[in-house]
């Protein structure tokens, strides 16, 4: 074979090998690209689904937020808030007109707000307040009812939250609690009056008891010319009278025994006398029945 033909044959073999390698490489690259495209397509589909789910959640959250805003109204954070001294139910809020806090209108009506205090993780509802004075960064609000006894002393200092309104069930529950509190305060006032009356009656009873005890046990501060029952008391006077009575009764008892003994002696003596009389009568009868003995006279020579 001609040399050129041999060269061409070897060149063809080399080209075939190179072409095979290039084809294999191209197929491998094409497979990797197809795999990456398929993975990317699945990722994009998942992201599209996630975006759709996120939009649904955002829409649900927005509806919930709108419901909360409708039920609870706007909310303002009021740092550095504190109750005013005096216990009249007024508080100083660290928020004002610059945050669009409601303020007194042209009609002169004081807007109502609802205040919550925060102390650590504890949240307390302070009540309904009327905004009586507003400034750019501060406001003064006062309770729309009379404060309960020692209520303002339990209000914390620091962060307060102010709401424009409350849900209907909260307002109903608050009204019921306030009604129960009014009834309880009335009951406490009645019990306080009863307590005062009982204290007065107790003092009067104690005075009367002291007087009766003096009458019973004696009065050391009695005048000198007072009777013995006043000085010694009825108890000691009765004891003395009883002792005197017991002495008299003892004497009477002894006299009664003597009378009985004397009576028995008289009866016994009468019986003995009767027996002696009877014996004398019998002797007298016997002597009257015996004939008299004749008396003889003898002459003496």
């Amino acid at each position: 074979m001609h040399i050129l033909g041999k060269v061409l044959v070897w060149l063809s073999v080399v080209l075939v090998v190179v072409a095979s390698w290039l084809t294999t490489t191209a197929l491998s690259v094409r497979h990797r690209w197809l795999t990456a495209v398929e993975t990317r397509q699945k990722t994009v589909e998942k992201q599209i689904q996630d975006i759709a789910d996120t939009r649904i959640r955002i829409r649900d959250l927005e509806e919930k937020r709108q419901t909360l805003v409708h039920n609870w109204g706007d909310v303002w954070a009021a740092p550095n808030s504190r109750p005013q001294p005096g216990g009249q139910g007024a508080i100083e809020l660290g928020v004002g007109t610059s945050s669009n806090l409601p303020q007194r209108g042209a009609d002169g009506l004081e807007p109502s707000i609802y205040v919550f205090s925060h102390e650590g993780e504890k949240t307390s509802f302070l009540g309904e307040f009327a905004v009586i004075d507003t400034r750019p960064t501060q406001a003064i609000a006062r309770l729309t009812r009379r404060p309960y006894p020692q209520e303002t002393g339990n209000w914390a200092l620091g962060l307060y939250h102010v709401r424009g309104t409350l849900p209907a069930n909260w307002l109903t529950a608050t009204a019921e609690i306030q009604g129960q509190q009014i009834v309880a305060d009335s009951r406490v006032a009645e019990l306080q009056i009863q307590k005062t009356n009982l204290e007065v009656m107790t003092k009067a009873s104690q005075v009367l008891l002291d007087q009766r005890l003096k009458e019973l046990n004696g009065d050391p501060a009695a005048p000198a010319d007072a009777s013995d029952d006043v000085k010694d008391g009825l108890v000691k006077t009765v004891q003395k009278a009883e002792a005197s009575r017991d002495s008299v009764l003892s004497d009477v008892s002894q006299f009664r025994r003597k009378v009985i003994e004397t009576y028995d002696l008289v009866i016994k003596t009468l019986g003995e006398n009767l027996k002696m009389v009877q014996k004398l009568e019998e002797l007298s009868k016997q002597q009257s029945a015996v004939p008299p003995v004749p008396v003889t006279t003898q002459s003496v020579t």
Side-chain angles (χ1 to χ4, degrees):
M1 181 180 292
H2 196 272
I3 295 174
L4 183 58
K6 293 180 180 179
V7 173
L8 292 175
V9 171
W10 285 107
L11 183 59
S12 298
V13 172
V14 173
L15 291 175
V16 169
V17 173
V18 173
S20 299
W21 177 79
L22 291 174
T23 301
T24 303
T25 302
L27 291 175
S28 178
V29 171
R30 179 176 178 277
H31 178 71
R32 288 200 303 272
W33 276 98
L34 290 175
T35 303
V37 168
E38 185 178 358
T39 302
R40 296 287 180 85
Q41 186 175 2
K42 291 181 179 179
T43 302
V44 169
E45 291 177 354
K46 185 177 182 301
Q47 290 177 349
I48 292 173
Q49 184 63 37
D50 292 341
I51 291 172
D53 295 340
T54 302
R55 287 177 177 174
I56 293 174
R57 287 198 300 271
I58 291 173
R59 185 170 63 251
D60 294 340
L61 292 175
E62 182 65 24
E63 291 178 355
K64 291 180 180 179
R65 189 188 73 84
Q66 292 294 336
T67 302
L68 290 175
V69 171
H70 176 74
N71 292 333
W72 292 88
D74 296 326
V75 59
W76 296 269
N80 301 322
S81 299
R82 63 184 182 274
Q84 285 189 333
Q88 300 300 319
I91 57 175
E92 298 179 7
L93 299 173
V95 64
T97 55
S98 60
S99 300
N100 296 324
L101 187 73
Q103 56 182 327
R104 183 180 299 179
D107 53 2
L109 295 178
E110 298 173 347
S112 296
I113 57 175
Y114 300 89
V115 181
F116 295 80
S117 67
H118 296 270
E119 187 176 3
E121 297 181 354
K122 180 182 177 182
T123 301
S124 301
F125 175 60
L126 302 186
E128 181 180 0
F129 289 78
V131 181
I132 59 177
D133 186 19
T134 53
R135 301 166 191 172
T137 60
Q138 193 180 25
I140 306 298
R142 183 179 58 234
L143 272 173
T144 57
R145 54 172 172 80
R146 180 179 300 176
Y148 303 135
Q150 306 193 358
E151 177 184 10
T152 58
N154 298 324
W155 290 351
L157 309 178
L159 177 63
Y160 285 8
H161 276 92
V162 181
R163 293 188 176 275
T165 185
L166 291 179
N169 57 341
W170 272 64
L171 294 174
T172 302
T174 302
E176 291 179 355
I177 292 174
Q178 291 178 357
Q180 294 174 3
Q181 185 66 40
I182 292 173
V183 173
D185 291 341
S186 301
R187 181 58 178 165
V188 169
E190 293 177 359
L191 293 176
Q192 189 66 34
I193 294 174
Q194 293 181 5
K195 177 185 176 184
T196 303
N197 294 334
L198 290 175
E199 289 176 351
V200 173
M201 295 173 62
T202 301
K203 291 180 179 179
S205 300
Q206 187 63 42
V207 172
L208 184 60
L209 177 61
D210 294 339
Q211 181 64 29
R212 292 292 182 267
L213 289 176
K214 288 180 180 179
E215 294 176 358
L216 292 174
N217 300 326
D219 186 6
D225 57 350
S227 59
D228 293 338
D229 59 343
V230 175
K231 295 179 180 179
D232 298 335
L234 295 177
V235 174
K236 188 174 290 186
T237 302
V238 171
Q239 290 176 350
K240 290 181 178 179
E242 288 179 348
S244 177
R245 182 202 63 186
D246 293 341
S247 178
V248 172
L249 290 177
S250 177
D251 294 340
V252 170
S253 179
Q254 292 179 2
F255 179 73
R256 183 179 297 168
R257 284 198 297 272
K258 288 181 180 181
V259 169
I260 293 173
E261 291 175 356
T262 304
Y263 178 78
D264 292 339
L265 180 60
V266 169
I267 296 300
K268 182 178 179 181
T269 303
L270 290 175
E272 291 176 353
N273 290 337
L274 180 62
K275 290 179 180 180
M276 293 176 65
V277 169
Q278 290 176 354
K279 287 181 179 180
L280 291 174
E281 289 180 352
E282 291 178 358
L283 290 174
S284 176
K285 289 179 180 181
Q286 290 176 1
Q287 290 177 359
S288 60
V290 174
V293 177
V295 177
T296 62
T297 61
Q298 295 178 0
S299 62
V300 176
T301 63

